[in-house]
Amino acid sequence: FDSNELDSVFVGLSSVDPEHVGKGVIQKVYGRCQQDIIDWEKREGTRLLLWATTFNRATYINATRLFPELEPDEHKDYTEYPRLALEIAKAIRHLHYPRCESLSDNPFVLKGVAKGVSPEHAAKFNLFKKLDVNPEKGDRVLMILQRPQHLKTG
């Protein structure tokens, strides 16, 4: 990865009107997104990298259901992350959030990049504690996603 370019897409994570919660709307949207990824990868002959940011536990959990290879993995220590995931996170953070580089050594941590959320909306989540992410202060977690290997392009 050091000098190679990767095609990547920022995935703007979604929310749904309360009357549609629990009806599978988001899963349908991301199911279509996965099909678009498969079509793109088949056409281009390479894997597509997706990335997103979050302060929300539910968003993180749902993302892991759709993209089980998501990094950072809440069950791993920072030192266990694959080198490639770390390099990709560093590159994205450097390009899109350069001032965060001096605020945290962990490339998956984006300090103060967004408007803070109220305490009742700030997720109490072990991963956020482990990474020292405080949503109330505008911190976000950078997530690296790839199409699950079991979804074939051919």
Side-chain angles (χ1 to χ4, degrees):
F1 172 76
D2 296 319
S3 62
N4 298 324
E5 289 189 24
L6 287 174
D7 290 304
S8 67
V9 173
F10 174 75
V11 180
L13 299 176
S14 306
S15 62
V16 69
D17 186 288
E19 74 178 63
H20 297 290
V21 170
K23 296 182 180 174
V25 173
I26 296 296
Q27 283 77 12
K28 288 177 185 171
V29 169
Y30 285 108
R32 181 59 213 182
C33 176
Q34 285 183 332
Q35 186 58 52
D36 289 346
I37 293 166
I38 290 168
D39 294 346
W40 186 94
E41 290 178 347
K42 187 176 182 181
R43 185 177 63 250
E44 299 298 323
T46 187
R47 290 199 67 191
L48 183 63
L49 174 84
L50 307 171
W51 63 280
T53 64
T54 190
F55 69 90
N56 185 292
R57 181 182 187 274
T59 298
Y60 178 89
I61 298 300
N62 284 327
T64 61
R65 289 181 183 139
L66 291 167
F67 302 98
E69 297 177 27
L70 184 148
E71 294 291 351
D73 182 325
E74 68 175 311
H75 303 293
K76 292 180 188 174
D77 185 63
Y78 170 63
T79 59
E80 298 176 284
Y81 296 149
R83 180 181 168 273
L84 181 61
L86 290 170
E87 291 299 319
I88 291 167
K90 286 177 187 175
I92 290 171
R93 188 170 77 166
H94 179 74
L95 288 171
H96 298 283
Y97 306 98
R99 70 176 196 81
C100 292
E101 293 175 304
S102 65
L103 301 176
S104 173
D105 290 335
N106 188 325
F108 294 102
V109 175
L110 305 174
K111 291 282 191 185
V113 298
K115 182 178 178 186
V117 295
S118 62
E120 61 269 11
H121 291 105
K124 305 297 183 233
F125 186 31
N126 188 41
L127 176 67
F128 295 171
K129 289 178 193 168
K130 187 189 300 188
L131 297 178
D132 189 31
V133 169
N134 185 342
E136 294 176 54
K137 293 183 178 178
D139 298 352
R140 300 295 182 261
V141 172
L142 171 64
M143 299 185 299
I144 307 296
L145 316 135
Q146 284 191 343
R147 171 189 51 80
Q149 290 285 350
H150 71 277
L151 296 177
K152 302 295 182 195
T153 59

